[in-house]
Amino acid sequence: MAIHNLDIADFLANTWQTKPRLIRNAFPNFINPMSPEDLAGLACEAEIESRLITEANGKWQTSHGPIAETTFNNLSDSNWTLLVQAVDHWVPEVADLLDNFRFIPSWRIDDVMVSYATRGGSVGPHYDNYDVFLVQGAGQRRWQVGGPCSAANSLQNNPELRLLADFVAEEEWVLEAGDMLYIPPGISHWGTAMDNDCMTYSIGFRAPSHSEMLSDFCDDTLAGLTEELRYADPGLQEQGHSGEIMPAAISNAQRILQNYVNDEQRLTEWFGRYVTQQKYPAETADNTDEKFQQGDLVQLLKDDGVILRDPTVRIAFIDAESPSNSLLFFVNGVCFESVGDSCIALSKLLADNTRICSGQIMPWLGDTESVQLLLRLVNQGVLYFDEEIDY
């Protein structure tokens, strides 16, 4: 599947993080990968993040999962919405949708939130601080899109949903199955279900706040510091006022702090670990019950094995120029060093693909470092064999 009616180069140059864009028939003959009943089943699970939003007479209420099955039985036939986060972690067909958006760096992708809404169902007028592609999976949804917003905009008295108090629509469209709407960060929007078949797939992207990035970088840096590293001021000179903080002291403090940010290797490794951290780390399975040996792994791959990446896993690499012929390979917030041409090429293959056939892997089975990398990732549950293949 590929996105129709979308010129990627033009989109990135003129639309991405700039303005909304409607793409009609982005996915022709779209087949909805799950039913409302499937979604409700996920919302009943304690380990899956979900919300049920109802609206009556302008008053909005939010209930957080797990949602009891009896709750659904007692709902009206209109004005409610069910939202489930990270459905791509649980439904392979939903995870497959993400392959269409790899023209954005995969480490920027967050997850696929799926919503089902009855007629009139909505989450209200709001804005997000991240990019989102809204793919209509079934039924119809009316989208109203307004102007840019910020923390200065007035909100309704509902801090959980952060609904805009003064939403003004500038554009309006009704989306049908296969249509897609892109909304950049900070743009107000309001989607309302037009029938009782409305399902929408929201592909969201990570956009950590500066405060989150700075906090994590500081925590990461602090972990490597010792008590012996202290503020010092050799060459101190007598000053006229003992209570005055002199410009030299401020410059000294600035130099100390800048040294950590200007340490390119430290910053590079931190950023790779940071952007590959899992949102729900408990979901990744560790194959503790079945540890593969190197020979078994190689044989399975030679027998037309197919390796899949656990959908909860986040992988990326940084191909920094290095005299040691290596790259930094990041898996779920952990940094590995891939050394040698073969292992480097394999690391890139693993980072770029979620499904790898044996034919793609064969060139690396004669390289010890590459096989060891595969063995480690399989035994950690990062990679696994497709159980539908008859070995």
Side-chain angles (χ1 to χ4, degrees):
M1 188 188 303
I3 302 176
H4 287 234
N5 304 320
L6 178 67
D7 183 310
I8 292 175
D10 175 73
F11 174 83
L12 293 176
N14 300 307
T15 303
W16 175 252
Q17 297 203 327
T18 302
K19 58 186 177 183
R21 181 167 174 182
L22 172 67
I23 303 161
R24 291 288 188 194
N25 205 30
F27 298 99
N29 304 313
F30 185 83
I31 298 175
N32 192 16
M34 62 189 309
S35 68
E37 291 76 17
D38 294 332
L39 192 67
L42 292 178
C44 295
E45 302 294 333
E47 65 270 30
I48 300 178
E49 184 181 353
S50 61
R51 291 174 293 161
L52 179 65
I53 299 175
T54 59
E55 185 270 329
N57 300 319
K59 294 184 178 180
W60 305 78
Q61 290 187 330
T62 303
S63 302
H64 291 270
I67 298 171
E69 186 175 346
T70 54
T71 299
F72 293 110
N73 296 331
N74 296 326
L75 290 170
S76 67
D77 58 0
S78 63
N79 290 21
W80 60 268
T81 298
L82 174 66
L83 306 103
V84 181
Q85 296 290 151
V87 177
D88 53 302
H89 293 183
W90 305 95
V91 181
E93 294 80 5
V94 174
D96 289 343
L97 274 175
L98 292 176
D99 289 338
N100 299 285
F101 299 91
R102 302 288 179 192
F103 59 91
I104 307 295
S106 57
W107 55 267
R108 286 277 271 120
I109 295 175
D110 192 9
D111 67 0
V112 182
M113 181 186 75
V114 182
S115 67
Y116 166 73
T118 55
R119 185 184 298 274
S122 172
V123 299
H126 67 286
Y127 70 95
D128 301 308
N129 290 314
Y130 53 84
D131 305 88
V132 62
F133 289 93
L134 302 159
V135 178
Q136 192 63 23
Q140 294 182 323
R141 183 183 291 274
R142 182 186 70 231
W143 283 104
Q144 296 172 291
V145 177
C149 295
S150 68
N153 285 81
S154 300
L155 300 178
Q156 298 181 29
N157 186 23
N158 191 322
E160 188 167 20
L161 289 177
R162 301 185 72 249
L163 301 180
L164 294 166
D166 302 305
F167 174 78
V168 178
E170 297 178 358
E171 297 181 278
E172 180 175 317
W173 304 286
V174 174
L175 272 64
E176 300 185 354
D179 292 339
M180 181 172 72
L181 178 62
Y182 165 73
I183 302 289
I187 296 297
S188 58
H189 52 286
W190 187 353
T192 306
M194 305 296 287
D195 51 39
N196 287 342
D197 299 315
C198 183
M199 292 192 71
T200 304
Y201 295 78
S202 302
I203 293 87
F205 291 79
R206 289 193 172 188
S209 68
H210 291 185
S211 64
E212 290 170 332
M213 293 176 66
L214 186 59
S215 175
D216 194 273
F217 177 74
C218 288
D219 289 343
D220 186 79
T221 301
L222 287 171
L225 302 184
T226 65
E227 286 294 308
E228 285 72 27
L229 293 168
R230 297 278 177 164
Y231 178 91
D233 47 9
L236 184 66
Q237 297 181 356
E238 184 179 5
Q239 56 191 58
H241 300 280
S242 62
E244 181 181 5
I245 300 173
M246 298 294 287
I250 297 173
S251 296
N252 192 23
Q254 184 179 42
R255 177 186 57 79
I256 292 171
L257 299 178
Q258 281 182 336
N259 282 342
Y260 294 108
V261 178
N262 292 339
D263 186 334
E264 186 174 350
Q265 181 177 356
R266 176 191 294 273
L267 185 65
T268 296
E269 293 186 13
W270 163 77
F271 189 72
R273 292 194 303 267
Y274 179 63
V275 299
T276 57
Q277 291 175 4
Q278 292 174 287
K279 189 175 182 178
Y280 307 101
E283 292 178 0
T284 300
D286 186 348
N287 296 337
T288 51
D289 295 335
E290 183 182 6
K291 294 294 186 183
F292 283 91
Q293 299 300 315
Q294 181 171 321
D296 298 330
L297 176 66
V298 171
Q299 189 59 52
L300 280 172
L301 289 168
K302 288 182 177 179
D303 292 342
D304 295 326
V306 175
I307 283 188
L308 304 177
R309 185 201 301 178
D310 185 303
T312 70
V313 166
R314 301 182 64 82
I315 297 180
F317 67 86
I318 296 177
D319 195 1
E321 293 185 5
S322 169
S324 62
N325 191 26
S326 64
L327 63 69
L328 300 178
F329 185 58
F330 301 93
V331 180
N332 294 341
V334 178
C335 179
F336 301 92
E337 186 178 25
S338 295
V339 180
D341 292 339
S342 292
C343 201
I344 287 174
L346 175 62
S347 299
K348 293 179 179 180
L349 179 73
L350 296 174
D352 289 343
N353 296 275
T354 58
R355 178 186 179 92
I356 303 173
C357 298
S358 59
Q360 297 172 274
I361 291 289
M362 290 297 289
W364 287 279
L365 295 186
D367 180 69
T368 301
E369 292 291 334
S370 298
V371 172
Q372 286 296 317
L373 175 60
L374 286 170
L375 186 64
R376 180 190 300 125
L377 297 180
V378 168
N379 284 334
Q380 290 179 350
V382 171
L383 304 175
Y384 64 96
F385 284 94
D386 190 343
E387 296 180 354
E388 295 183 1
I389 301 295
D390 184 7
Y391 300 116

